[in-house]
Amino acid sequence: GPFLDAHRDEIVARVRAGEAAERPDHPLQRIMNIVPAAGGLLVTTTDAHLARGIGEALRKANRGRMEFRYNKADNLLRVSWTR
């Protein structure tokens, strides 16, 4: 939406910073891709903990609402952050 359009570079930088913060202790936790998707961004990670950490960092910095959906069978976490 309009918030993403106005703050895209800042949001992507925060996502990348979340990955960089985890790298020293968890070198396999990586961002695989960041692509535009249906009025937002889709960030794909190699680890559920990294996805959650990025979502929490975005919520903390920009407020908004965060939603988690965990699929235990596939060890998959979907984090949705909106503002």
Side-chain angles (χ1 to χ4, degrees), residues 9-79:
D9 292 340
E10 177 186 332
I11 290 170
V12 170
R14 190 163 307 276
V15 168
R16 296 262 182 223
E19 176 191 38
E22 289 296 318
R23 190 174 300 137
D25 294 328
H26 307 283
L28 297 179
Q29 291 185 10
R30 298 295 183 141
I31 292 172
M32 294 169 46
N33 207 357
I34 301 175
V35 295
L41 292 174
L42 176 63
V43 179
T44 308
T45 67
T46 59
D47 186 82
H49 293 99
L50 178 58
R52 183 179 182 110
I54 289 169
E56 300 244 1
L58 288 171
R59 185 186 53 77
K60 184 177 179 181
N62 300 297
R63 294 178 296 220
R65 190 171 66 95
M66 198 165 56
E67 183 180 313
F68 300 100
R69 285 172 286 176
Y70 182 65
N71 180 333
K72 194 171 190 173
D74 294 331
N75 192 29
L76 177 73
L77 175 67
R78 292 189 189 275
V79 179

